[in-house]
Amino acid sequence: MSTSSTQSRGVNRRINSLQSNGNAARDASHTKKRIITHNDAYLYALRVAYLAYLLQPRARRIQHAPAPQIPIQRSSTSINDLMKDFSLLRDNKSTRFPHGFMSELEKRLTGVLMGRERKPEYQDATVKRTFAAFLNAFTEQSFKKRMEKDRRVEDLVLIFFSNATKELQKGKPPGDDSWKLMTDRHLALFVRLISLVLKDHDWARDRPELAARLATLESKLLAHDQDLSSTPTRNGTTSAASIEVIVPLSYEVKDMPLVQLVARIFGLTNTQVQSDINKYKPVWTEKAALQDLKSYQTYLNLNSRKTLRSDDFHFDEAYDTWRKGEAHDLSQMMLAIIQSNPELAKSTAASNLPQLQRHMSNPEPTDGSYPDVLRRMSDHSERSSYVIDQPFDMSTLSSGSQSPDTSVDDDNGFAFIPPEPRAYYRFILGEAFMHDVNDQSLQSLEATGDTPAINILSKHSMDLLNEIGFRWRIPQVSRMTLFLDIVCEKFFDQEISLDNLDGVFNFLKGQPAEGKKPQSFASLLLLDRTQWTLADTALYQSTLSSLHEALMRDLYNAMQECYESKPPSIGPILYVLENHVCNDSSFSKPQEDLDAFSDALHDGLQQKAHETYRSYLEKHVPQDQQSWDFFHVIELGRAVMALAQKIQQRYKKNPEIKGVNPLAALVETVLPLYAEDARDIVTRILELAQGKDEEVPIEDGFQLYNELVEIRQKYGEVLPNVPFAFEIEATLAEFVWRWIYTTESAINDWVDQAIKQDQFRVRMDNPQQIPTEEQRHSVSVMDIFSSFNQSIDRVVQLNWDDDLQYAKFMTAMAKIVGAGLAHYCEVVEQRFLKEMDRLTPEQEIAASQTKQEKWLQLAKDTWNNKDKIEPFQFFPESFVKLNNIDFAAQQLDKLEHEVNVDACAEVIQRHTPPVTQRQKKINNYVFTIKIVEAEDLKACDMNGSSDPYVVLGDEYQKRLAKTRIIYRDLNPRWDESVDITTQGPLNIIATVWDWDAMGDHDCVGRASLKLDPSHFSDFMPREYWLDLDSQGRILLRVSMEGERDDIQFYFGKAFRTLKRTERDMTRTITDKLSAYIHHCLSRRTLRSLTAKSITVSTVTNYFNRNRPQPTTQAPSEPDITRALKPLFAYFDDNFAIMNQTLTSTAMIMVMTRLWKEVLVTVEALLVPPLSDKLSQQRQLNQQELDIVFKWLQYLFDFFHAVDDETGEANGVPLDVLRSPKYFDITTLNFFYFEPTDALIRTSERMASATAARQQSQRNRLSAPASLAGPAFGGAAGLVGLPSTRRSKSIMHSRNLGTMRKAKEEKRKEAQADPNDDMILRILRMRPEAERYLKDRSRQKERLAAAAAAEMIVRQSLAAGGGRMMGNLPRR
């Protein structure tokens, strides 16, 4: 039959057998299932246990009998014969001892005598005595010297043999030859000791032949060795012999371990069992057992229903394998019975006795095809009563020659095998299992890393079950499936725990040996399932299916408590399901059933989650709405999140249980409920608070927001497509705005308190040390920025989830920071000015004088020509204030980057509606007024000069700003700016005052200007020359910006405030030094240098004009340098004072400002200010011009401060020194002495080129029209052409980076766009150029007016479509 046909037939047979109800059983009658009683099962188990007692190996006992005397025989081989292997090779070096061997051997012999030798054979006293005798001979000098020279083995052995013979013969009577064997033994021990010495010193590897011959000699010496420790045998005397005899059976229960076990399992006493054995002893015999085997063999040959048939297996090959194994086992069992009771063989004819077949192949038994763990249930190699190792031929035993015993059941035909072996085995197995489970004295299986210690089956129970299964011919797989069926049934009835169930599975899989890994499930438990019977397969599948349903039911019930504080563990259930049920190839479950379970489990978890949430709601939220508080919502949320985190941690390793995520089921159920309840509760709390005219604390709102955001985040992870029911930001934004308003109201108090507690001193512990850069600012600026950062961080830490609202929050905070810094700058600058405007000691004395005394002192000073300038004594606190402003700018720049101002502005811009959809009206306008300079002021002092400063005020006489004082100057230049915020037109009045140290200040003149936002609709700067009501005029540069609620605007405004304060304070410091600069760099100093070259001869020659004029001697280089020495010394003294307190940045800033003051002073020496009128200033001659330019070069090198050794510049950087004004001054040398006509032509050519260039730029900017916005074009005023760039807007000052960029662009633009201003200033000193100056001024006015009108029209077209709009466009 082919393999394919066999398998096909087997599969069809399996399907048919599973559909029928009777084919899986052995019972051929197909009667209804027999009811097995407790007593029947007990009797059949007792029969097998009793039979095991009958067939067990008989015990034997020792009986002593006299033994014949055996003479001791000496070997016929002499010592000379033994040493021939060495004597034949006397000259071979490979058999000689190595050098140094003798000394090591002596040490080893000494160790034997002293008991240090670890080998037990050297501990005998006789051995030590023999070795001592040899050692005495060995240590003789002559022998030892000869041995060290020859190193031959035979010499050493022979001398030992000679000494051992003499020593052992002592005390022996004549005829006693027992000592001869002792001599051989001791000599063998000596040879062994030699080999050990060679081996320990690694000499044996170099002399392998010597080691081999020593080993051969030792074996020959021990050929007749006996137990020499026994004195009688050693002497050859006779002794009694021992013989074994078989102990007869007692037939008492106390000698029957398995029978006692049966009694314990079935709850009977030994007396009762003994009675039953006595009763059935004549029937339960070895003969009856042998008859059962013969009958079973007959049924097997006849393919009867009383044995398994081919229909009971999946395939014919499996049946054939089983049948061969049965035949072998039956032969072994019959032979075991015959050997146990030889009388049974006598009752059978000799021809029918089983014959041993020593040469036939032994078929592999059935048990051999199963793994070791199953063989443990049938292994009888040590304890079975019928196991033999030799096969024999069963064909000689005629099974039909004998009839069954009369005591055999009529319907069964067996004495020891029950009618339904599987059913009886199952019953007994169940009783034994429960007995062992409930037996507390039973030793548990040891716990391993995967299984706990449990009670399964004892060793004796396993012996009994193996005996029963083997006797009843129950296959191993059947025993396993029946055992598993019993265990599952007990588990269903809750008689055993899940740990016991897991232990049973592990028990069936087999416990691994120590140090070995456990084998896989399939290889240990299932093996090849094609060898299984149909009944076993059906039972196993049914058991797994039932177990799966029970475990899934337990899993469902356990998961229903997963949200409790201490839920039951599901790990053991899942472990058994996955490892013992679902992974089994015999188990199959439709996917629809698994999906149905997952859906039911998910629904159940959602219901439990709902119940859990309701319990939390009742616990944390009171019933009375009047007592509701945010704390209740927070506590409820924390409880929900704590539960979610606990569930997440609990199921971290296995987030899904049978396709259901407990965390997801919880979150998707609880969080929507919480969102709705939180929304309703919070809304109700706010309504109640509003009704009571109360406010909920801000911190409560912040705390609630943090909790809700965390919950919403978790909600979004689980339900990404489901919106959160609570609009948190829209509801709780009110608390953030309240925080902002509170901060705004308190910001000035914070600043005042910080200033009040600040002493404005350098922060250093040791006054002797030089302070570091970080120590040069005081604590007030640190405190205010700490307050700013804490206020902003409080909003940032909320992690507000609405970008637009967050950007608005930051915008409001930026406005608050700007206001706080403005207040700080105002207070600090007031204190700074108070310190800088204090009177000198001379001024204090003068203030106390009468008017007459003042006049007399003034006349005295004038007569004495006193014009000495005393250095100003600076306070370190003043410099610390300047450091604070610089540090504030750095911190504000850092804060601007941390807040991410540009991103906030972008978010607001993205959410702002288009221009056509938003209101265009601007409510606030920021006018920036720069007080530039004044000309031709009235002299108010007796010396013909004035000390002017300007005060700006409004029409209501409110002071808006005040400039610094310019001493002794009728053409002063202030270059100071001020911001004025207004909501409509505003009239300002500029009043020029003359400062007097004594008495009231004098009014020099006034002028007014109307600031109308409609006149600045293009947002371009304008310059106004305002005539004073007395004499002279003042130049104001005005620009306007619409104040915007923009974060960049607020930061820019704050930066500009800091920079203006810093610039004003720096200018105030330099003003204290500028008087001496003007004194040293003056025309008087020039006259003093040039006057030194005038002599009497030069005066005489003046009258002799017809004679050639001699060349005037120019001042020498040392004279020119000496003229600047006082100024350099003055700078060094003041710089040394500043360097002790000012930071490096502030120091460079002061030096830069002084450099600008130097350039202005030098420029004033060379040319008058720009105007359309002639100047009274005289043009310098060539000698004076050269001196001025040398001064400029000396001062340039001084301020650059290059170290002569290192070449490193420590002063003002070159790019700052080479400013546009420095460039203009250096270019004066090319035009200074040019004729007037040439200068006029050059001026006209440069003006035309500039006008053409600016017109080209306006043409480029007009396309596209969108670029012609407020940021381009505009009139520069009445004396300048329109500028292509806005001057210093707030947006260009929003951080240090933009400010540096704008300054660099301005410098590059000034260098790239030269003009004719310097030429016009030279022409002011040429009377013949008066008319050109007036014409050029009118030309500039016309060009500026035309450019301004053009820009206004372009702005109108770009903003509104051709019609002038009343409101200003919002930037």
Side-chain angles (χ1 to χ4, degrees), residues 516-540:
K516 297 183 179 179
K517 295 183 179 180
Q519 302 181 32
S520 64
F521 181 87
S523 62
L524 283 178
L525 181 60
L526 303 181
L527 297 174
D528 185 6
R529 299 192 180 180
T530 59
Q531 304 296 322
W532 287 24
T533 65
L534 296 176
D536 293 331
T537 301
L539 178 61
Y540 187 69

Side-chain angles (χ1 to χ4, degrees), residues 983-1003:
Q983 295 181 352
L986 176 67
N987 291 320
I988 62 170
I989 300 174
T991 304
V992 183
W993 294 88
D994 171 54
W995 180 84
D996 286 330
M998 301 170 291
D1000 297 332
H1001 299 183
D1002 300 325
C1003 180

Side-chain angles (χ1 to χ4, degrees), residues 1015-1130:
H1015 295 165
F1016 292 85
S1017 58
D1018 58 351
F1019 296 98
M1020 291 296 103
R1022 289 171 171 77
E1023 292 185 351
Y1024 296 95
W1025 278 104
L1026 303 178
D1027 293 329
L1028 300 179
D1029 55 0
S1030 57
Q1031 176 185 336
R1033 60 180 183 172
I1034 185 172
L1035 176 61
L1036 300 181
R1037 184 176 294 125
V1038 183
S1039 61
M1040 187 195 74
E1041 284 187 275
E1043 184 172 4
R1044 299 181 296 169
D1045 188 19
D1046 182 271
I1047 187 170
Q1048 292 178 332
F1049 178 85
Y1050 291 131
F1051 267 97
K1053 188 175 180 180
F1055 270 111
R1056 192 158 71 170
T1057 300
L1058 289 172
K1059 284 302 178 181
R1060 281 183 177 175
T1061 303
E1062 184 181 60
R1063 184 171 59 249
D1064 293 344
M1065 295 173 69
T1066 304
R1067 184 181 286 116
T1068 302
I1069 294 174
T1070 56
D1071 285 346
K1072 298 299 181 182
L1073 307 177
S1074 61
Y1076 198 72
I1077 295 175
H1078 297 160
H1079 170 75
C1080 295
L1081 303 178
S1082 63
R1083 288 182 175 250
R1084 182 176 57 187
T1085 307
L1086 281 175
R1087 286 195 301 270
S1088 65
L1089 284 174
T1090 57
K1092 293 180 180 180
S1093 62
I1094 300 176
T1095 62
V1096 176
S1097 61
T1098 59
V1099 176
T1100 305
N1101 292 332
Y1102 175 76
F1103 295 100
N1104 299 326
R1105 297 181 179 179
N1106 295 327
R1107 297 180 182 180
Q1109 297 293 329
T1111 304
T1112 303
Q1113 183 180 0
S1116 63
E1117 195 77 19
D1119 293 336
I1120 298 174
T1121 307
R1122 194 179 302 112
L1124 292 182
K1125 264 188 177 180
L1127 181 60
F1128 289 155
Y1130 184 70

